[in-house]
Amino acid sequence: MIAQLCFYFFMFLAVAAGIGMLIFKNPMRVALCLITIMLSLASIFALIENHVLAVFQILIYVGAIMVFIVYVIMLLDPHDQALTKRFSKYAIGGGIMLFLSLSFLAPKAKLLSQIQDGKSLILSFKDFANIFLKDYFIFFELTSVLLIVGVVGAVAIIKGRKNAIN
């Protein structure tokens, strides 16, 4: 009973923070909403007794990637009016790229097919590491490359602004 109430609380919190991401215009508030979503997901993973994913959710996503994103937001001067526009001219192209990426990656998700077979999937850390290093490591590395490109782009924008001012 308590676990079910906690599950619904964290589910509601994640949905509310997702709506907050769509409503807020300040990039720092949007990042804080995303951190709330990540912590809610980690709590849901812990409630369904998947502690490995809960720990990875907190360590990798909240602890590393979100701190990285907040750092880039602080580099970009969150009071700039250009950052508070809701959609850019690249939104349609980004949506198409997201759709193509998801349609390419969806057949690769072997863990989902194992759950649908009716078996309860209990992964040890060793099993998770083997699956991660064999099947998903390239996607993890591509994500890190994407984050580095984002930082290089942020630095280029800042240097371009400073050169335009001078």
Side-chain angles (χ1 to χ4, degrees), residues 25 81-88:
K25 291 185 177 184
Q81 292 300 319
L83 292 176
T84 59
K85 288 196 295 189
R86 293 311 301 163
F87 299 105
S88 71

Side-chain angles (χ1 to χ4, degrees), residues 30-154:
V30 172
L32 289 175
C33 285
L34 188 56
I35 290 172
T36 304
I37 291 171
M38 298 293 180
L39 289 174
S40 297
L41 288 177
S43 301
I44 290 171
F45 285 141
L47 283 172
I48 62 174
E49 296 182 3
N50 198 338
H51 302 294
V52 173
L53 282 180
V55 169
F56 280 151
Q57 184 79 22
I58 291 173
L59 288 177
I60 293 174
Y61 290 110
V62 177
I65 293 175
M66 285 310 301
V67 169
F68 185 68
I69 289 174
V70 168
Y71 176 71
V72 170
I73 288 172
M74 295 309 291
L75 273 175
L76 288 177
D77 183 25
H79 301 293
D80 186 11
Q81 292 300 319
L83 292 176
T84 59
K85 288 196 295 189
R86 293 311 301 163
F87 299 105
S88 71
K89 59 184 176 182
Y90 303 113
I92 295 174
I96 291 171
M97 288 301 293
L98 176 67
F99 175 75
L100 292 175
S101 299
L102 289 177
S103 64
F104 174 73
L105 295 177
K108 305 285 184 187
K110 294 180 183 176
L111 289 177
L112 293 177
S113 65
Q114 290 177 358
I115 293 172
Q116 291 174 353
D117 292 338
K119 302 175 189 173
S120 64
L121 180 65
I122 299 174
L123 287 177
S124 67
F125 187 75
K126 183 178 179 182
D127 295 334
F128 177 79
N130 285 333
I131 291 171
F132 179 73
L133 291 175
K134 287 181 184 175
D135 297 334
Y136 300 105
F137 188 70
I138 188 71
F139 302 119
F140 183 75
E141 289 301 320
L142 287 175
T143 303
S144 65
V145 169
L146 181 66
L147 288 171
I148 290 172
V149 167
V151 168
V152 169

